[in-house]
Amino acid sequence: MKKQDFSNQIIDIMKRLDSMTYNHSVRVMMISAEIEEYLGMTDHQLMYASILHDIGKIYIPFNILDKNTRLTKLERQIIDLHPYIGYSILSELGVDEDICRIILYHHGPQPLTIQDVGHYDKDSIYAKALMLHSIDAFEALTSDRPYHRGVTSKEAVKILTRGDKYDKKVLEYITGVASKEETGESAVHRMCQEDNRFEFVKKIIMGME
């Protein structure tokens, strides 16, 4: 597949995302890029995976994504399919397998993914998936959603550091971001105020192949 055709297919799919999911993905990508620079990561797999991590949500009904009350068990199970759906979409398009696996595991292993894809190893791909999971959670906490108001970076750090489910290097970085925060507005959101986000995203995707 030609590079331009590949990029256009990915962009056409991203245009089908609802605005909340698309903007969330852009912000997660921006944080990932900052963390890659902070940690000296040069393969950009984390950044590429981050912009595409929720692409599977194009097949999740919007009335579930936009629900402002507690999800039912079935609705939660439907949403939980989005990493597998995203993996399937991107694999068929020929996206790098490592990037696809980071997306597949960004909410941890699930029986369906283990059954269809293979063994869940705690390798470098798992480590990047855990980083993406951590960034994803941080951005979600600091953004307004139908079901909650966003909190400040400092408040998000307090929430994420209560347990051991998140990547320590990511927490180290966002703790530094939170310490520099001067207002109630998320410092991450200030990093993401580009006027032409879509053109920026297009450049990132064209760099993937």
Side-chain angles (χ1 to χ4, degrees):
M1 184 184 298
K2 292 181 180 179
K3 186 172 183 177
Q4 187 67 43
D5 293 340
F6 168 83
S7 302
N8 287 339
Q9 284 195 40
I10 298 287
I11 290 166
D12 286 344
I13 293 171
M14 288 201 68
K15 286 179 179 178
R16 292 163 58 189
L17 287 170
D18 63 280
S19 60
M20 181 178 70
T21 302
Y22 175 77
N23 289 328
H24 163 72
S25 298
V26 172
R27 290 191 291 265
V28 171
M29 179 194 67
M30 296 294 291
I31 302 168
S32 296
E34 293 279 329
I35 288 174
E36 282 187 336
E37 182 176 357
Y38 175 70
L39 297 175
M41 299 166 65
T42 58
D43 59 18
H44 300 309
Q45 288 182 339
L46 178 63
M47 184 177 69
Y48 293 146
S50 66
I51 190 59
L52 302 172
H53 76 283
D54 275 347
I55 207 164
K57 287 184 177 177
I58 62 171
Y59 289 111
I60 306 299
F62 184 67
N63 66 305
I64 296 179
L65 294 175
D66 196 46
K67 189 175 181 180
N68 60 7
T69 56
R70 187 180 182 87
L71 295 175
T72 65
K73 183 178 179 180
L74 176 59
E75 289 168 338
R76 171 47 59 191
Q77 289 173 334
I78 291 171
I79 284 185
D80 286 347
L81 287 173
H82 79 270
Y84 177 76
I85 296 170
Y87 172 88
S88 300
I89 292 170
L90 297 170
S91 291
E92 288 186 10
L93 288 175
V95 173
D96 179 80
E97 177 66 14
D98 286 349
I99 294 172
C100 291
R101 286 181 61 219
I102 294 169
I103 292 166
L104 176 67
Y105 295 133
H106 80 272
H107 284 302
Q110 300 171 31
L112 182 63
T113 61
I114 293 172
Q115 177 183 340
D116 284 8
V117 178
H119 187 61
Y120 181 69
D121 290 319
K122 290 194 173 184
D123 56 12
S124 62
I125 298 304
Y126 166 83
K128 289 173 184 173
L130 181 61
M131 293 176 74
L132 178 53
H133 173 61
S134 306
I135 298 164
D136 188 18
F138 175 69
E139 200 290 318
L141 283 169
T142 55
S143 295
D144 290 337
R145 297 294 181 93
Y147 46 86
H148 78 78
R149 291 295 304 270
V151 302
T152 67
S153 296
K154 288 182 179 180
E155 291 170 317
V157 167
K158 289 180 182 178
I159 294 168
L160 296 178
T161 53
R162 286 174 188 163
D164 58 358
K165 297 189 300 182
Y166 301 103
D167 183 84
K168 291 181 179 179
K169 292 179 181 177
V170 170
L171 292 180
E172 178 184 275
Y173 174 78
I174 64 175
T175 298
V177 170
S179 68
K180 297 175 183 177
E181 193 171 71
E182 296 177 357
T183 71
E185 179 189 6
S186 167
V188 171
H189 288 192
R190 292 198 298 273
M191 282 195 289
C192 302
Q193 295 304 313
E194 283 79 10
D195 292 329
N196 203 356
R197 283 182 182 173
F198 190 75
E199 285 302 314
F200 180 69
V201 170
K202 186 174 181 179
K203 288 179 183 178
I204 295 297
I205 292 171
M206 290 187 69
M208 287 178 58
E209 197 173 54

